[in-house]
Amino acid sequence: MVKESTPPNSRANLKKPPWQTVLTFFTKNYALLLVVLLLSETILRLLFGNNDVYPLGLDRRTAEETKSLLHTTTKMMQVQIEAVDRKIEKEIEDLRNELSERIDENDFFYGARLRDFGERVDSIGRSLISEERLWKDEFNKSIEKLKFKKGKDEGDFRLDEMKGYVKEMIEKAIDNHAADGLGTIDYAVASGGGMVVKLSEPYNLQNAIHLSALKILQPSFGEPGQCLPLKGDSGYVEIKLRQTIIPEAITLEHVAKSVAYDRSMAPKECRVFGWLHPDSKKMVLLREFTYDLEKRNVQTFNVWENGYAVNMMRFEFKSNHGDPTHTCIYRFRVHGYEPDSLSS
């Protein structure tokens, strides 16, 4: 609803508070009363200067009563003015306390926002430092490989050789990113034929459960909320691979810390099983692992059972990182090689 704005200079829309109206009333009347009292006092002094003579037929008793009434009225007016003064002081004190409380609330709110901003800046800084170290380590390793390959010392490299090798490193990094970020085949990817065939109870999914389930088998591009939410802190997903493979590793991905609103719904204690469809009785435990929020958001784990052919996978999580209502799975990948390649 849009509220109409009140013109700042409109006298008709300005409403005085009650205490200001009372103060104005008593101030005006008190001033008038003072004038009347002073005039009456002056007249009485002039008329009754002689205590024995009272003009206008007034006797001494009537004159004294009139004078007493004037003094009583004056005192009553003073009492009322003092009461109004106390009321004004109380309202001013209440306003001062209310303003102080609002200032304290704003200080707390903006202080919390500043602390949150500072934590984010520190997190980004630590991430940049970590990435810088990784690049330095990778570069140093590459230089050592190049020195070993060329049989030269570091000072013997020509500038064009260094430029060519750096270009090769950059192109390799770009190729890895283009190859789904890891540079290895994902046999569970939906675009290659992988599919979710069974899962535990979804969380807040009334329709399009199939489309939501497919999210874990395709690139998420790190967008918060683009996941498969499953009810509770434990559950499972069963996946049919595009073909029979010898599994070597699995990769679990969650949203990155730098862009996440809350990561308490990430899986924690996990297990992965594999088998050849339709013989699910020969299900083999391939790996147990813990997804660590302090590490990279994309984490790869080697399987324990080597040489076991599978075309079905079951990903289970026994706990998450604190959310009791649901657990989010962003992406699950399976890596390995085809059995036919064993003879090559």
Side-chain angles (χ1 to χ4, degrees):
M1 181 180 294
V2 179
K3 295 183 178 179
E4 296 183 357
S5 59
T6 303
N9 296 326
S10 176
R11 294 183 178 271
N13 293 325
L14 295 177
K15 184 178 180 180
K16 293 182 179 180
W19 64 266
Q20 188 173 354
T21 304
V22 173
L23 178 62
T24 302
F25 172 78
F26 279 111
T27 301
K28 292 180 179 179
N29 287 277
Y30 184 59
L32 179 60
L33 180 60
L34 286 178
V35 173
V36 174
L37 290 176
L38 290 174
L39 182 59
S40 300
E41 185 73 16
T42 303
I43 293 173
L44 288 173
R45 287 177 183 272
L46 291 175
L47 294 178
F48 305 146
N50 185 352
N51 294 334
D52 297 330
V53 180
Y54 298 96
L56 304 177
L58 295 175
D59 55 13
R60 183 183 182 120
R61 180 180 178 183
T62 303
E64 290 297 335
E65 290 179 353
T66 303
K67 188 175 181 180
S68 175
L69 177 61
L70 291 174
H71 284 295
T72 302
T73 304
T74 302
K75 290 181 179 180
M76 291 176 61
M77 293 297 296
Q78 289 177 345
V79 171
Q80 291 178 355
I81 293 296
E82 291 175 357
V84 172
D85 288 340
R86 287 193 297 271
K87 182 177 180 181
I88 293 173
E89 291 176 358
K90 185 179 183 303
E91 290 190 1
I92 292 175
E93 183 66 23
D94 291 342
L95 289 174
R96 185 184 292 112
N97 293 336
E98 182 180 354
L99 179 60
S100 177
E101 291 177 358
R102 290 188 179 183
I103 291 174
D104 292 340
E105 290 176 358
N106 289 335
D107 288 344
F108 177 80
F109 174 75
Y110 289 112
R113 294 291 298 274
L114 286 174
R115 286 192 296 273
D116 181 61
F117 179 74
E119 291 175 357
R120 292 191 179 188
V121 171
D122 292 341
S123 176
I124 293 173
R126 288 192 297 269
S127 177
L128 291 175
I129 292 173
S130 176
E131 291 293 332
E132 181 183 4
R133 289 175 180 173
L134 289 175
W135 273 101
K136 284 183 178 180
D137 293 342
E138 186 68 23
F139 183 76
N140 291 333
K141 290 179 182 178
S142 300
I143 291 297
E144 292 297 327
K145 290 180 181 179
L146 182 61
K147 287 164 58 178
F148 178 78
K149 181 178 179 181
K150 298 292 184 180
K152 299 179 180 181
D153 294 329
E154 187 173 349
D156 296 333
F157 287 111
R158 296 196 308 271
L159 182 61
D160 57 343
E161 289 181 322
M162 292 295 295
K163 287 182 177 179
Y165 194 68
V166 170
K167 181 181 179 182
E168 181 181 343
M169 287 175 57
I170 294 174
E171 289 176 347
K172 182 179 178 180
I174 293 174
D175 289 340
N176 284 341
H177 180 73
D180 209 8
L182 295 178
T184 184
I185 297 175
D186 176 15
Y187 286 94
V189 67
S191 60
M195 66 179 65
V196 174
V197 296
K198 192 176 181 181
L199 69 161
S200 56
E201 183 179 357
Y203 176 76
N204 280 353
L205 290 180
Q206 303 298 330
N207 300 307
I209 296 177
H210 177 70
L211 294 178
S212 297
L214 279 181
K215 290 180 180 179
I216 70 171
L217 303 182
Q218 57 191 12
S220 65
F221 302 106
E223 184 179 354
Q226 295 301 315
C227 65
L228 171 62
L230 298 178
K231 188 174 182 179
D233 56 3
S234 63
Y236 69 91
V237 178
E238 292 186 359
I239 301 164
K240 181 180 182 300
L241 306 181
R242 62 163 300 182
Q243 66 185 82
T244 300
I245 65 165
I246 306 297
E248 293 183 305
I250 57 94
T251 297
L252 182 62
E253 178 179 347
H254 197 73
V255 65
K257 182 179 181 180
S258 57
V259 298
Y261 304 112
D262 179 11
R263 298 203 300 167
S264 64
M265 67 285 297
K268 187 177 182 180
E269 301 294 333
C270 306
R271 297 190 301 180
V272 177
F273 297 88
W275 70 95
L276 272 174
H277 180 75
D279 193 1
S280 60
K281 293 182 179 180
K282 294 184 178 181
M283 185 184 299
V284 175
L285 177 62
L286 299 176
R287 181 63 191 259
E288 288 184 324
F289 63 90
T290 299
Y291 184 86
D292 190 349
L293 290 181
E294 298 303 319
K295 296 180 180 180
R296 294 183 59 200
N297 65 306
V298 180
Q299 299 177 24
T300 299
F301 305 90
N302 294 327
V303 302
W304 290 335
E305 293 289 339
N306 293 323
Y308 189 84
V310 302
N311 57 12
M312 295 290 296
M313 284 279 190
R314 179 184 173 98
F315 168 70
E316 292 183 357
F317 55 93
K318 297 182 291 183
S319 64
N320 63 19
H321 284 270
D323 194 316
T325 61
H326 68 290
T327 302
C328 285
I329 304 174
Y330 275 82
R331 189 170 181 191
F332 181 80
R333 311 184 211 185
V334 180
H335 316 293
Y337 55 92
E338 300 174 23
D340 293 342
S341 62
L342 288 173
S343 58
S344 60

